[in-house]
Amino acid sequence: MAKVKMLVQSTYNKELLRAGKIYEVNDETAQRWQVSKIAEMVEESVEEQKTDQ
């Protein structure tokens, strides 16, 4: 599983994914979305910093 930050609003598995939010999806989907500029991969340290604030 990979964490991605959505660059656009989209639906995935009948769930609304909002732009700017971080979601966990399978690795293949995350890579496909990154190539298509739908989402960007999130490093673990970046996410940990956000939860610490």
Side-chain angles (χ1 to χ4, degrees):
M1 297 297 274
K3 295 188 187 239
V4 295
K5 180 177 180 184
M6 298 301 295
L7 301 175
V8 298
Q9 181 172 300
S10 183
T11 56
Y12 178 66
N13 290 338
K14 299 181 181 179
E15 181 182 349
L16 180 63
L17 306 182
R18 301 273 184 179
K21 301 269 184 172
I22 296 174
Y23 298 94
E24 191 168 355
V25 296
N26 67 50
D27 293 330
E28 182 180 317
T29 300
Q31 291 174 357
R32 191 172 61 244
W33 287 357
Q34 185 172 18
V35 169
S36 301
K37 297 190 177 16
I38 294 171
E40 60 186 16
M41 303 291 274
V42 175
E43 299 294 327
E44 290 296 323
S45 60
V46 172
E47 185 195 345
E48 289 172 5
Q49 290 173 358
K50 288 185 179 184
T51 58
D52 290 341
Q53 293 178 359

Tab-separated table of all heavy atoms in Angstrom:
chain	number	residue	atom	x	y	z
A	1	MET	N	0.844	-1.187	0.000
A	1	MET	CA	0.000	0.000	0.000
A	1	MET	C	0.885	1.245	0.000
A	1	MET	O	1.962	1.247	0.575
A	1	MET	CB	-0.905	0.003	1.229
A	1	MET	CG	-1.900	-1.154	1.289
A	1	MET	SD	-3.083	-1.153	-0.042
A	1	MET	CE	-4.317	-0.082	0.620
A	2	ALA	N	0.383	2.278	-0.658
A	2	ALA	CA	1.118	3.535	-0.751
A	2	ALA	C	0.196	4.680	-0.371
A	2	ALA	O	-1.017	4.617	-0.580
A	2	ALA	CB	1.633	3.733	-2.170
A	3	LYS	N	0.787	5.717	0.174
A	3	LYS	CA	0.012	6.913	0.524
A	3	LYS	C	0.215	7.942	-0.562
A	3	LYS	O	1.329	8.156	-1.040
A	3	LYS	CB	0.455	7.442	1.882
A	3	LYS	CG	0.125	6.447	2.968
A	3	LYS	CD	0.352	6.988	4.324
A	3	LYS	CE	0.152	5.866	5.320
A	3	LYS	NZ	-0.845	6.102	6.261
A	4	VAL	N	-0.912	8.555	-0.972
A	4	VAL	CA	-0.873	9.564	-2.027
A	4	VAL	C	-1.621	10.805	-1.587
A	4	VAL	O	-2.565	10.727	-0.795
A	4	VAL	CB	-1.493	9.034	-3.346
A	4	VAL	CG1	-0.685	7.894	-3.926
A	4	VAL	CG2	-2.936	8.607	-3.160
A	5	LYS	N	-1.179	11.931	-2.074
A	5	LYS	CA	-1.887	13.192	-1.866
A	5	LYS	C	-2.582	13.509	-3.179
A	5	LYS	O	-1.942	13.604	-4.228
A	5	LYS	CB	-0.911	14.306	-1.502
A	5	LYS	CG	-1.602	15.636	-1.286
A	5	LYS	CD	-0.615	16.699	-0.866
A	5	LYS	CE	-1.317	18.019	-0.666
A	5	LYS	NZ	-0.353	19.084	-0.358
A	6	MET	N	-3.877	13.642	-3.125
A	6	MET	CA	-4.661	13.881	-4.334
A	6	MET	C	-4.424	15.296	-4.859
A	6	MET	O	-4.421	16.259	-4.088
A	6	MET	CB	-6.156	13.686	-4.052
A	6	MET	CG	-6.539	12.281	-3.622
A	6	MET	SD	-6.116	11.008	-4.822
A	6	MET	CE	-7.181	11.452	-6.190
A	7	LEU	N	-4.206	15.396	-6.163
A	7	LEU	CA	-4.042	16.692	-6.809
A	7	LEU	C	-5.357	17.198	-7.382
A	7	LEU	O	-5.523	18.398	-7.606
A	7	LEU	CB	-2.986	16.594	-7.924
A	7	LEU	CG	-1.597	16.148	-7.459
A	7	LEU	CD1	-0.679	15.971	-8.660
A	7	LEU	CD2	-1.009	17.134	-6.472
A	8	VAL	N	-6.284	16.283	-7.619
A	8	VAL	CA	-7.618	16.614	-8.122
A	8	VAL	C	-8.645	15.810	-7.333
A	8	VAL	O	-8.311	14.828	-6.683
A	8	VAL	CB	-7.755	16.281	-9.633
A	8	VAL	CG1	-6.782	17.090	-10.460
A	8	VAL	CG2	-7.560	14.806	-9.889
A	9	GLN	N	-9.889	16.225	-7.413
A	9	GLN	CA	-10.968	15.461	-6.786
A	9	GLN	C	-11.340	14.318	-7.710
A	9	GLN	O	-11.423	14.492	-8.920
A	9	GLN	CB	-12.174	16.364	-6.534
A	9	GLN	CG	-13.334	15.658	-5.862
A	9	GLN	CD	-14.418	16.619	-5.449
A	9	GLN	OE1	-14.189	17.507	-4.668
A	9	GLN	NE2	-15.597	16.438	-6.014
A	10	SER	N	-11.561	13.158	-7.146
A	10	SER	CA	-11.878	11.983	-7.945
A	10	SER	C	-12.676	11.005	-7.106
A	10	SER	O	-12.807	11.182	-5.897
A	10	SER	CB	-10.575	11.317	-8.426
A	10	SER	OG	-10.856	10.228	-9.260
A	11	THR	N	-13.206	9.978	-7.749
A	11	THR	CA	-13.844	8.896	-7.010
A	11	THR	C	-13.038	7.623	-7.232
A	11	THR	O	-12.464	7.415	-8.298
A	11	THR	CB	-15.303	8.666	-7.457
A	11	THR	OG1	-15.318	8.423	-8.862
A	11	THR	CG2	-16.175	9.854	-7.130
A	12	TYR	N	-12.984	6.801	-6.205
A	12	TYR	CA	-12.253	5.537	-6.256
A	12	TYR	C	-12.996	4.551	-5.387
A	12	TYR	O	-13.238	4.814	-4.205
A	12	TYR	CB	-10.822	5.753	-5.751
A	12	TYR	CG	-9.970	4.511	-5.709
A	12	TYR	CD1	-9.611	3.848	-6.871
A	12	TYR	CD2	-9.510	4.010	-4.497
A	12	TYR	CE1	-8.811	2.717	-6.836
A	12	TYR	CE2	-8.708	2.883	-4.446
A	12	TYR	CZ	-8.367	2.241	-5.619
A	12	TYR	OH	-7.569	1.121	-5.574
A	13	ASN	N	-13.392	3.428	-5.972
A	13	ASN	CA	-14.182	2.418	-5.257
A	13	ASN	C	-15.407	3.039	-4.590
A	13	ASN	O	-15.686	2.802	-3.416
A	13	ASN	CB	-13.328	1.687	-4.213
A	13	ASN	CG	-12.299	0.779	-4.838
A	13	ASN	OD1	-12.453	0.366	-5.987
A	13	ASN	ND2	-11.257	0.481	-4.108
A	14	LYS	N	-16.101	3.860	-5.344
A	14	LYS	CA	-17.334	4.533	-4.895
A	14	LYS	C	-17.119	5.468	-3.707
A	14	LYS	O	-18.044	5.788	-2.978
A	14	LYS	CB	-18.418	3.518	-4.581
A	14	LYS	CG	-18.810	2.675	-5.777
A	14	LYS	CD	-19.897	1.702	-5.442
A	14	LYS	CE	-20.255	0.866	-6.661
A	14	LYS	NZ	-21.298	-0.101	-6.376
A	15	GLU	N	-15.876	5.921	-3.510
A	15	GLU	CA	-15.544	6.854	-2.426
A	15	GLU	C	-15.025	8.149	-3.041
A	15	GLU	O	-14.223	8.128	-3.970
A	15	GLU	CB	-14.464	6.245	-1.527
A	15	GLU	CG	-14.082	7.122	-0.369
A	15	GLU	CD	-12.980	6.515	0.491
A	15	GLU	OE1	-12.656	5.338	0.309
A	15	GLU	OE2	-12.440	7.254	1.318
A	16	LEU	N	-15.482	9.275	-2.531
A	16	LEU	CA	-15.032	10.574	-3.010
A	16	LEU	C	-13.681	10.909	-2.385
A	16	LEU	O	-13.543	10.902	-1.161
A	16	LEU	CB	-16.050	11.659	-2.646
A	16	LEU	CG	-15.713	13.079	-3.086
A	16	LEU	CD1	-15.637	13.162	-4.612
A	16	LEU	CD2	-16.741	14.054	-2.557
A	17	LEU	N	-12.699	11.153	-3.235
A	17	LEU	CA	-11.364	11.535	-2.769
A	17	LEU	C	-11.171	13.009	-3.085
A	17	LEU	O	-11.282	13.420	-4.237
A	17	LEU	CB	-10.287	10.693	-3.475
A	17	LEU	CG	-10.453	9.187	-3.398
A	17	LEU	CD1	-9.298	8.494	-4.105
A	17	LEU	CD2	-10.552	8.711	-1.959
A	18	ARG	N	-10.903	13.795	-2.075
A	18	ARG	CA	-10.779	15.248	-2.217
A	18	ARG	C	-9.361	15.667	-2.548
A	18	ARG	O	-8.395	15.087	-2.039
A	18	ARG	CB	-11.189	15.941	-0.914
A	18	ARG	CG	-12.588	15.638	-0.476
A	18	ARG	CD	-13.544	16.585	-1.098
A	18	ARG	NE	-14.881	16.328	-0.585
A	18	ARG	CZ	-15.904	17.034	-0.944
A	18	ARG	NH1	-15.763	18.023	-1.779
A	18	ARG	NH2	-17.090	16.746	-0.466
A	19	ALA	N	-9.234	16.705	-3.365
A	19	ALA	CA	-7.918	17.270	-3.691
A	19	ALA	C	-7.267	17.797	-2.416
A	19	ALA	O	-7.935	18.408	-1.576
A	19	ALA	CB	-8.074	18.386	-4.714
A	20	GLY	N	-5.972	17.533	-2.263
A	20	GLY	CA	-5.226	18.011	-1.106
A	20	GLY	C	-5.210	17.054	0.075
A	20	GLY	O	-4.423	17.223	0.999
A	21	LYS	N	-6.058	16.055	0.079
A	21	LYS	CA	-6.104	15.088	1.181
A	21	LYS	C	-5.212	13.889	0.873
A	21	LYS	O	-4.923	13.593	-0.273
A	21	LYS	CB	-7.537	14.589	1.402
A	21	LYS	CG	-8.531	15.664	1.715
A	21	LYS	CD	-8.634	15.868	3.181
A	21	LYS	CE	-9.731	16.893	3.446
A	21	LYS	NZ	-10.029	17.029	4.817
A	22	ILE	N	-4.805	13.174	1.909
A	22	ILE	CA	-3.931	12.008	1.768
A	22	ILE	C	-4.755	10.742	1.971
A	22	ILE	O	-5.533	10.643	2.918
A	22	ILE	CB	-2.772	12.075	2.776
A	22	ILE	CG1	-1.907	13.287	2.469
A	22	ILE	CG2	-1.960	10.789	2.749
A	22	ILE	CD1	-0.811	13.552	3.470
A	23	TYR	N	-4.565	9.783	1.052
A	23	TYR	CA	-5.277	8.516	1.090
A	23	TYR	C	-4.293	7.383	0.879
A	23	TYR	O	-3.220	7.574	0.319
A	23	TYR	CB	-6.350	8.460	-0.001
A	23	TYR	CG	-7.411	9.517	0.141
A	23	TYR	CD1	-7.307	10.724	-0.535
A	23	TYR	CD2	-8.511	9.320	0.963
A	23	TYR	CE1	-8.275	11.709	-0.398
A	23	TYR	CE2	-9.486	10.295	1.103
A	23	TYR	CZ	-9.364	11.491	0.414
A	23	TYR	OH	-10.322	12.446	0.548
A	24	GLU	N	-4.680	6.196	1.298
A	24	GLU	CA	-3.856	5.011	1.096
A	24	GLU	C	-4.513	4.131	0.038
A	24	GLU	O	-5.695	3.779	0.155
A	24	GLU	CB	-3.710	4.243	2.414
A	24	GLU	CG	-2.674	3.165	2.348
A	24	GLU	CD	-2.320	2.604	3.714
A	24	GLU	OE1	-2.822	3.120	4.727
A	24	GLU	OE2	-1.542	1.657	3.750
A	25	VAL	N	-3.763	3.827	-1.013
A	25	VAL	CA	-4.240	2.976	-2.107
A	25	VAL	C	-3.157	1.952	-2.421
A	25	VAL	O	-2.024	2.061	-1.948
A	25	VAL	CB	-4.576	3.799	-3.372
A	25	VAL	CG1	-5.733	4.759	-3.107
A	25	VAL	CG2	-3.361	4.557	-3.878
A	26	ASN	N	-3.477	0.968	-3.257
A	26	ASN	CA	-2.456	-0.030	-3.584
A	26	ASN	C	-1.356	0.599	-4.443
A	26	ASN	O	-1.555	1.637	-5.066
A	26	ASN	CB	-3.068	-1.280	-4.231
A	26	ASN	CG	-3.655	-1.006	-5.589
A	26	ASN	OD1	-3.017	-0.409	-6.453
A	26	ASN	ND2	-4.877	-1.468	-5.806
A	27	ASP	N	-0.191	-0.026	-4.441
A	27	ASP	CA	0.988	0.530	-5.106
A	27	ASP	C	0.778	0.770	-6.601
A	27	ASP	O	1.184	1.798	-7.134
A	27	ASP	CB	2.197	-0.394	-4.910
A	27	ASP	CG	2.649	-0.450	-3.459
A	27	ASP	OD1	2.473	0.549	-2.739
A	27	ASP	OD2	3.171	-1.494	-3.053
A	28	GLU	N	0.140	-0.171	-7.270
A	28	GLU	CA	-0.078	-0.048	-8.715
A	28	GLU	C	-0.942	1.169	-9.035
A	28	GLU	O	-0.641	1.934	-9.942
A	28	GLU	CB	-0.735	-1.321	-9.244
A	28	GLU	CG	-0.953	-1.322	-10.742
A	28	GLU	CD	-1.614	-2.598	-11.218
A	28	GLU	OE1	-1.219	-3.690	-10.741
A	28	GLU	OE2	-2.519	-2.506	-12.051
A	29	THR	N	-2.002	1.358	-8.284
A	29	THR	CA	-2.888	2.509	-8.481
A	29	THR	C	-2.140	3.803	-8.189
A	29	THR	O	-2.252	4.770	-8.948
A	29	THR	CB	-4.131	2.387	-7.581
A	29	THR	OG1	-4.823	1.184	-7.910
A	29	THR	CG2	-5.058	3.571	-7.759
A	30	ALA	N	-1.370	3.831	-7.123
A	30	ALA	CA	-0.617	5.033	-6.757
A	30	ALA	C	0.353	5.432	-7.865
A	30	ALA	O	0.441	6.606	-8.229
A	30	ALA	CB	0.142	4.800	-5.455
A	31	GLN	N	1.050	4.468	-8.429
A	31	GLN	CA	1.989	4.767	-9.513
A	31	GLN	C	1.262	5.273	-10.752
A	31	GLN	O	1.699	6.216	-11.404
A	31	GLN	CB	2.823	3.529	-9.840
A	31	GLN	CG	3.793	3.179	-8.741
A	31	GLN	CD	4.519	1.877	-9.000
A	31	GLN	OE1	4.264	1.181	-9.977
A	31	GLN	NE2	5.436	1.541	-8.105
A	32	ARG	N	0.142	4.656	-11.072
A	32	ARG	CA	-0.655	5.072	-12.236
A	32	ARG	C	-1.167	6.503	-12.057
A	32	ARG	O	-1.121	7.317	-12.977
A	32	ARG	CB	-1.801	4.085	-12.439
A	32	ARG	CG	-2.532	4.259	-13.749
A	32	ARG	CD	-3.530	3.139	-14.016
A	32	ARG	NE	-4.568	3.065	-13.007
A	32	ARG	CZ	-4.749	2.035	-12.187
A	32	ARG	NH1	-3.975	0.978	-12.240
A	32	ARG	NH2	-5.729	2.057	-11.304
A	33	TRP	N	-1.641	6.825	-10.854
A	33	TRP	CA	-2.141	8.170	-10.580
A	33	TRP	C	-1.027	9.197	-10.642
A	33	TRP	O	-1.228	10.314	-11.114
A	33	TRP	CB	-2.815	8.228	-9.225
A	33	TRP	CG	-4.153	7.544	-9.176
A	33	TRP	CD1	-4.820	6.943	-10.212
A	33	TRP	CD2	-4.997	7.396	-8.041
A	33	TRP	NE1	-6.005	6.435	-9.788
A	33	TRP	CE2	-6.149	6.692	-8.454
A	33	TRP	CE3	-4.878	7.767	-6.719
A	33	TRP	CZ2	-7.187	6.388	-7.587
A	33	TRP	CZ3	-5.906	7.459	-5.852
A	33	TRP	CH2	-7.053	6.778	-6.287
A	34	GLN	N	0.171	8.830	-10.182
A	34	GLN	CA	1.289	9.768	-10.220
A	34	GLN	C	1.670	10.082	-11.667
A	34	GLN	O	1.880	11.240	-12.009
A	34	GLN	CB	2.484	9.204	-9.458
A	34	GLN	CG	3.632	10.184	-9.370
A	34	GLN	CD	4.734	9.711	-8.451
A	34	GLN	OE1	4.824	8.547	-8.121
A	34	GLN	NE2	5.556	10.632	-8.021
A	35	VAL	N	1.728	9.071	-12.507
A	35	VAL	CA	2.052	9.277	-13.921
A	35	VAL	C	0.989	10.155	-14.592
A	35	VAL	O	1.307	11.011	-15.418
A	35	VAL	CB	2.184	7.914	-14.642
A	35	VAL	CG1	2.242	8.089	-16.146
A	35	VAL	CG2	3.415	7.183	-14.139
A	36	SER	N	-0.268	9.946	-14.227
A	36	SER	CA	-1.386	10.706	-14.815
A	36	SER	C	-1.598	12.065	-14.168
A	36	SER	O	-2.517	12.787	-14.535
A	36	SER	CB	-2.680	9.892	-14.687
A	36	SER	OG	-2.548	8.660	-15.338
A	37	LYS	N	-0.772	12.391	-13.156
A	37	LYS	CA	-0.863	13.661	-12.426
A	37	LYS	C	-2.210	13.837	-11.714
A	37	LYS	O	-2.721	14.934	-11.580
A	37	LYS	CB	-0.561	14.840	-13.347
A	37	LYS	CG	0.861	14.801	-13.884
A	37	LYS	CD	1.223	16.067	-14.591
A	37	LYS	CE	2.608	16.166	-15.100
A	37	LYS	NZ	3.468	15.057	-15.253
A	38	ILE	N	-2.761	12.723	-11.263
A	38	ILE	CA	-3.978	12.742	-10.456
A	38	ILE	C	-3.603	12.891	-8.985
A	38	ILE	O	-4.308	13.527	-8.210
A	38	ILE	CB	-4.794	11.451	-10.676
A	38	ILE	CG1	-5.309	11.411	-12.118
A	38	ILE	CG2	-5.925	11.326	-9.674
A	38	ILE	CD1	-5.947	10.096	-12.499
A	39	ALA	N	-2.458	12.287	-8.620
A	39	ALA	CA	-1.999	12.309	-7.232
A	39	ALA	C	-0.483	12.255	-7.218
A	39	ALA	O	0.144	11.929	-8.221
A	39	ALA	CB	-2.572	11.123	-6.472
A	40	GLU	N	0.094	12.581	-6.064
A	40	GLU	CA	1.546	12.463	-5.896
A	40	GLU	C	1.814	11.574	-4.697
A	40	GLU	O	1.057	11.561	-3.733
A	40	GLU	CB	2.204	13.830	-5.738
A	40	GLU	CG	1.721	14.618	-4.556
A	40	GLU	CD	2.274	16.029	-4.504
A	40	GLU	OE1	2.793	16.511	-5.518
A	40	GLU	OE2	2.179	16.635	-3.425
A	41	MET	N	2.897	10.828	-4.783
A	41	MET	CA	3.284	9.928	-3.692
A	41	MET	C	3.678	10.762	-2.481
A	41	MET	O	4.277	11.823	-2.622
A	41	MET	CB	4.449	9.052	-4.116
A	41	MET	CG	4.182	8.224	-5.353
A	41	MET	SD	2.992	6.928	-5.099
A	41	MET	CE	4.078	5.669	-4.487
A	42	VAL	N	3.350	10.270	-1.296
A	42	VAL	CA	3.666	10.969	-0.050
A	42	VAL	C	4.715	10.151	0.690
A	42	VAL	O	4.553	8.953	0.897
A	42	VAL	CB	2.409	11.112	0.828
A	42	VAL	CG1	2.752	11.713	2.171
A	42	VAL	CG2	1.366	11.950	0.115
A	43	GLU	N	5.792	10.813	1.072
A	43	GLU	CA	6.822	10.164	1.876
A	43	GLU	C	6.303	10.028	3.302
A	43	GLU	O	5.567	10.878	3.787
A	43	GLU	CB	8.098	11.011	1.874
A	43	GLU	CG	8.698	11.213	0.506
A	43	GLU	CD	9.228	9.934	-0.108
A	43	GLU	OE1	9.716	9.075	0.652
A	43	GLU	OE2	9.127	9.782	-1.329
A	44	GLU	N	6.689	8.988	3.981
A	44	GLU	CA	6.244	8.755	5.351
A	44	GLU	C	6.589	9.922	6.270
A	44	GLU	O	5.805	10.328	7.087
A	44	GLU	CB	6.854	7.468	5.893
A	44	GLU	CG	6.295	6.213	5.257
A	44	GLU	CD	4.824	6.003	5.533
A	44	GLU	OE1	4.362	6.309	6.645
A	44	GLU	OE2	4.122	5.527	4.623
A	45	SER	N	7.790	10.491	6.109
A	45	SER	CA	8.204	11.583	6.990
A	45	SER	C	7.319	12.813	6.807
A	45	SER	O	7.031	13.521	7.752
A	45	SER	CB	9.664	11.946	6.739
A	45	SER	OG	9.853	12.366	5.408
A	46	VAL	N	6.847	13.059	5.590
A	46	VAL	CA	5.965	14.203	5.334
A	46	VAL	C	4.647	14.004	6.059
A	46	VAL	O	4.129	14.901	6.709
A	46	VAL	CB	5.726	14.390	3.812
A	46	VAL	CG1	4.664	15.446	3.557
A	46	VAL	CG2	7.020	14.752	3.118
A	47	GLU	N	4.106	12.809	5.980
A	47	GLU	CA	2.839	12.547	6.641
A	47	GLU	C	2.984	12.628	8.155
A	47	GLU	O	2.125	13.159	8.844
A	47	GLU	CB	2.303	11.170	6.251
A	47	GLU	CG	0.927	10.941	6.843
A	47	GLU	CD	0.499	9.502	6.811
A	47	GLU	OE1	1.110	8.710	6.097
A	47	GLU	OE2	-0.445	9.187	7.551
A	48	GLU	N	4.077	12.107	8.690
A	48	GLU	CA	4.301	12.161	10.132
A	48	GLU	C	4.390	13.597	10.620
A	48	GLU	O	3.901	13.919	11.693
A	48	GLU	CB	5.575	11.399	10.489
A	48	GLU	CG	5.442	9.898	10.341
A	48	GLU	CD	6.758	9.166	10.512
A	48	GLU	OE1	7.763	9.810	10.837
A	48	GLU	OE2	6.769	7.936	10.320
A	49	GLN	N	4.984	14.481	9.823
A	49	GLN	CA	5.078	15.880	10.203
A	49	GLN	C	3.687	16.500	10.285
A	49	GLN	O	3.398	17.269	11.179
A	49	GLN	CB	5.930	16.660	9.194
A	49	GLN	CG	7.390	16.321	9.241
A	49	GLN	CD	8.177	16.981	8.127
A	49	GLN	OE1	7.614	17.686	7.284
A	49	GLN	NE2	9.468	16.739	8.092
A	50	LYS	N	2.803	16.143	9.368
A	50	LYS	CA	1.459	16.700	9.377
A	50	LYS	C	0.675	16.227	10.590
A	50	LYS	O	-0.112	16.971	11.160
A	50	LYS	CB	0.715	16.319	8.094
A	50	LYS	CG	1.239	17.064	6.893
A	50	LYS	CD	0.422	16.761	5.674
A	50	LYS	CE	0.947	17.547	4.497
A	50	LYS	NZ	0.164	17.375	3.303
A	51	THR	N	0.852	14.972	11.005
A	51	THR	CA	0.122	14.475	12.157
A	51	THR	C	0.674	15.024	13.459
A	51	THR	O	-0.034	15.091	14.448
A	51	THR	CB	0.122	12.928	12.202
A	51	THR	OG1	1.465	12.477	12.225
A	51	THR	CG2	-0.601	12.346	11.011
A	52	ASP	N	1.947	15.446	13.457
A	52	ASP	CA	2.550	16.012	14.657
A	52	ASP	C	2.077	17.440	14.932
A	52	ASP	O	2.173	17.921	16.040
A	52	ASP	CB	4.087	16.004	14.562
A	52	ASP	CG	4.634	14.585	14.651
A	52	ASP	OD1	3.898	13.691	15.136
A	52	ASP	OD2	5.794	14.391	14.246
A	53	GLN	N	1.576	18.111	13.930
A	53	GLN	CA	1.188	19.534	14.086
A	53	GLN	C	-0.122	19.685	14.799
A	53	GLN	O	-0.974	18.973	14.877
A	53	GLN	CB	1.116	20.208	12.725
A	53	GLN	CG	2.473	20.300	12.088
A	53	GLN	CD	2.400	20.927	10.696
A	53	GLN	OE1	1.329	21.273	10.212
A	53	GLN	NE2	3.532	21.073	10.066
